[in-house]
Amino acid sequence: QVQLVESGGGLVQPGGSLRLSCTASGSISTVGVMGWYRQAPGKQRELVATVASRGLRSYGDFVKGRFTISRDNAKNAVLLEMNTLKPEDTAVYYCNADAIESGRLSYSEYWGQGTQVTVSS
């Protein structure tokens, strides 16, 4: 089993910053791409950012330089620094990772439980 545990959500004023973190734990052989998705009420889940094990990053179009994703391969952790937050960034943010469990040969996809980010004055 692989578990993703997130932390760092909360309430922030428009223009503020938040840092989300996620750590993968359990019987892990290899962790591939890690990333963050978000889902606002009444909307589909959308990509925020991903980072591959060798550092290649991708971002959703709405990020526009405001967010930075990074990872610590030694800790199987991924971080999301969010700056210049807007009310429309309000959503539940989910950590996502592709990983190979110990004793298995192929990647499976895993999700965290989600952390609420609310941007409001």
Side-chain angles (χ1 to χ4, degrees):
Q1 281 279 25
V2 175
Q3 298 84 36
L4 301 181
V5 179
E6 303 136 331
S7 62
L11 173 65
V12 64
Q13 293 187 342
S17 300
L18 276 178
R19 184 189 194 199
L20 305 182
S21 64
C22 172
T23 300
S25 63
S27 302
I28 299 171
S29 173
T30 304
V31 179
V33 177
M34 301 186 78
W36 293 91
Y37 290 74
R38 71 183 188 182
Q39 188 167 19
K43 294 187 177 181
Q44 289 188 332
R45 191 171 295 190
E46 62 179 348
L47 167 71
V48 178
T50 63
V51 57
S53 58
R54 294 187 179 184
L56 181 65
R57 298 174 174 87
S58 65
Y59 294 94
D61 290 341
F62 62 87
V63 170
K64 296 182 179 178
R66 299 182 298 128
F67 300 175
T68 302
I69 191 169
S70 61
R71 67 187 283 169
D72 183 335
N73 289 331
K75 298 179 180 179
N76 289 332
V78 60
L79 304 176
L80 184 68
E81 299 274 359
M82 302 186 293
N83 300 309
T84 319
L85 284 161
K86 306 174 182 179
E88 51 264 43
D89 293 317
T90 295
V92 178
Y93 284 69
Y94 294 92
C95 180
N96 174 271
D98 293 329
I100 301 176
E101 287 190 48
S102 298
R104 299 196 176 188
L105 300 177
S106 60
Y107 281 97
S108 296
E109 184 179 39
Y110 298 91
W111 291 92
Q113 79 283 359
T115 185
Q116 178 69 45
V117 171
T118 302
V119 185
S120 175
S121 55

